Amino acid sequence: MTLKLGCIADDYTGASDLANTLTRAGLRTVQTIGVPAADLALPEVDAVVVSLKSRSIEASLAVARSREADTWLRARGARHVLFKICSTFDSTDAGNIGPVMDALAGDSGDDIVLVTPAFPETKRTVYQGNLFVGHVPLNESPLKDHPLNPMHDANLVRVLGRQSRRKIGLVDLAAVVHGPETIDHRLQDLAGQGMGAAIVDAVFDADLTAIGAAALKHKVSVGASGIGLGLARALVAAGHVHSHGFAHHADAPVGGMAACLAGSCSQATLQQIAQAESVMPVLHLDAAGLVAGPDEARGALAWARERIAQGPVLIASSATPDQVGALQARHGREAAGHAIEQAMADLADGLIGAGVRRLIVAGGETSGAVVDRLRIPGFLVGPEIAAGVPVLRAIGAEIGEMLLALKSGNFGGPRFFTDALALMR
């Protein structure tokens, strides 16, 4: 297997988003959980997205795991590796975007790295280096209250500059609209000025095509699924990849019972939970109880076992920003988050033991904890449920045939859970 594109994602739902985007663009794509074992049997594919749970861990660990993934991908022929980050640039002044970018760029020998989290399809745009969520700057959006990585600055040149050893420049929209050659010339000019990375503006879908073509001339890029789409288009246009659809067997029915778990505290997920209450049993967990010990999760599992034979259920630990803040103040941000994630993973394990074979998980950190607990090494990418969220078929899993959907908190419409269940047969 010779890969045309390698990708390293800093969380599992972001990896699913990217794998879905690449598949829609015609690349045969597999998402792996962690760096694959040498004996994992993979189908013939054009791209592999290595999923890491590295967004909010200590920076040196994120760097080490990302470099290991980079080595694995390049050993299988990937000339270009995309470090996939969140489209809202989730990070702090300590990282982890900057430290990982610095390490991958240093290993590759690239003088300058192209960086953009823009993905207009999901209303993430960059103009004059500032990231917008819909019509408002990042720091005025609900992401300013993110429980792990609150974002208080929309200027990505400044944000990345605070966490990288490299000087950060800007390729503005005026250069982008003139196409890949102009982008490349601007990057060369910035490199000549001592810049080691550049935020690249993107406002329209066509901008991604130009950015992808320019990025493909380099060995490393950093961004969200939008730049992944641009890279995929460039590979197809250059004839390096023949356009394919998703694997025909990726959406084959598996049957079995279905359940949903929600750990995200985003406004979108809270609205989706509220809508789901009209069509399925929903249990709202007490987050403080989850932190206090195992009894809350045990009670939830017993509640689910009484109901799942009659139809899907939803269990939610999601809470409002004020409730999350109060819990973090009592127990500490990391301790509270870890305890809730592990409780949700316990629930997932128990649900699988009870016969669930179709599982929907909302929230990046929650998805990471669940997939790690279930020891699923990889996924085939199936049809799209919502923008950035595909149906995933487990491959190489001890539990056998299973379908999952891993949703970033902000993704999907109000009926996401029912829409997902309709596709996961």
Side-chain angles (χ1 to χ4, degrees):
M1 179 176 63
T2 301
L3 295 178
K4 301 300 186 294
L5 179 65
C7 307
I8 303 165
D10 67 357
D11 88 332
Y12 293 0
T13 55
S16 295
D17 174 15
L18 177 59
N20 175 67
T21 299
L22 298 178
T23 300
R24 287 171 53 209
L27 274 62
R28 297 168 298 177
T29 306
V30 162
Q31 174 184 348
T32 71
I33 303 303
V35 179
D39 60 351
L40 177 63
L42 293 176
E44 188 66 28
V45 293
D46 304 305
V48 168
V49 181
V50 177
S51 314
L52 302 179
K53 198 165 180 279
S54 60
R55 180 174 297 171
S56 302
I57 64 175
E58 200 274 323
S60 64
L61 289 175
V63 167
R65 293 175 186 176
S66 300
R67 293 180 77 182
E68 182 186 2
D70 183 71
T71 298
W72 187 91
L73 291 164
R74 294 195 187 278
R76 283 150 185 82
R79 183 186 177 279
H80 186 94
V81 172
L82 166 63
F83 174 42
K84 197 278 177 190
I85 61 172
C86 183
S87 62
T88 50
F89 222 76
D90 282 6
S91 57
T92 69
D93 287 351
N96 289 330
I97 295 172
V100 173
M101 178 189 75
D102 291 348
L104 297 180
D107 290 346
S108 75
D110 275 355
D111 293 330
I112 191 165
V113 181
L114 188 155
V115 182
T116 185
F119 197 2
E121 180 182 339
T122 58
K123 296 181 171 54
R124 307 294 193 264
T125 56
V126 179
Y127 179 68
Q128 293 297 317
N130 293 282
L131 177 56
F132 288 80
V133 178
H135 299 296
V136 300
L138 175 66
N139 58 305
E140 297 178 19
S141 77
L143 275 300
K144 70 181 186 298
D145 299 317
H146 191 287
L148 293 178
N149 299 318
M151 303 302 293
H152 297 146
D153 190 353
N155 187 298
L156 300 185
V157 175
R158 288 195 301 256
V159 172
L160 188 56
R162 291 194 292 265
Q163 53 182 280
S164 171
R165 298 190 305 271
R166 295 178 166 230
K167 293 181 179 179
I168 313 301
L170 171 67
V171 178
D172 64 17
L173 190 63
V176 172
V177 296
H178 283 94
E181 290 188 2
T182 303
I183 295 172
D184 194 49
H185 290 156
R186 177 60 177 154
L187 290 170
Q188 291 176 31
D189 289 344
L190 291 171
Q193 299 171 35
M195 305 292 179
I199 301 297
V200 184
D201 282 355
V203 175
F204 305 106
D205 181 77
D207 299 335
L208 302 177
T209 303
I211 292 168
L216 204 58
K217 299 177 182 178
H218 299 259
K219 294 181 180 178
V220 175
S221 60
V222 177
S225 291
I227 191 173
L229 177 58
L231 287 163
R233 288 172 175 170
L235 287 166
V236 172
H240 299 311
V241 172
H242 298 292
S243 182
H244 302 272
F246 63 80
H248 70 279
H249 52 287
D251 66 336
V254 299
M257 292 180 284
C260 310
L261 296 174
S264 169
C265 299
S266 72
Q267 290 183 7
T269 297
L270 294 175
Q271 292 171 1
Q272 290 157 359
I273 293 168
Q275 193 283 331
E277 294 197 62
S278 65
V279 295
M280 70 182 78
V282 175
L283 177 65
H284 293 271
L285 298 171
D286 175 25
L290 293 176
V291 175
D295 289 347
E296 182 76 7
R298 288 172 181 165
L301 183 59
W303 175 90
R305 282 175 169 159
E306 292 175 355
R307 292 165 174 81
I308 54 175
Q310 284 73 50
V313 300
L314 190 157
I315 302 174
S317 65
S318 305
T320 66
D322 288 345
Q323 292 170 325
V324 172
L327 189 67
Q328 291 174 340
R330 288 199 302 271
H331 300 280
R333 176 179 292 182
E334 292 187 6
H338 179 74
I340 293 172
E341 290 164 23
Q342 293 308 305
M344 297 300 276
D346 290 341
L347 276 170
D349 201 18
L351 289 167
I352 297 305
V356 168
R357 290 298 179 268
R358 295 174 290 145
L359 183 65
I360 301 164
V361 187
E365 300 300 321
T366 305
S367 294
V370 166
V371 173
D372 284 346
R373 180 66 59 83
L374 298 181
R375 297 178 295 279
I376 299 173
F379 299 104
L380 288 174
V381 180
E384 185 178 56
I385 301 165
V389 190
V391 175
L392 300 172
R393 177 177 291 270
I395 57 174
E398 297 175 6
I399 55 179
E401 291 286 317
M402 182 176 182
L403 296 180
L404 291 94
L406 308 177
K407 183 188 87 73
S408 178
N410 290 295
F411 282 16
R415 292 175 49 83
F416 173 78
F417 290 110
T418 50
D419 291 344
L421 290 166
L423 283 178
M424 298 168 67
R425 297 166 293 152

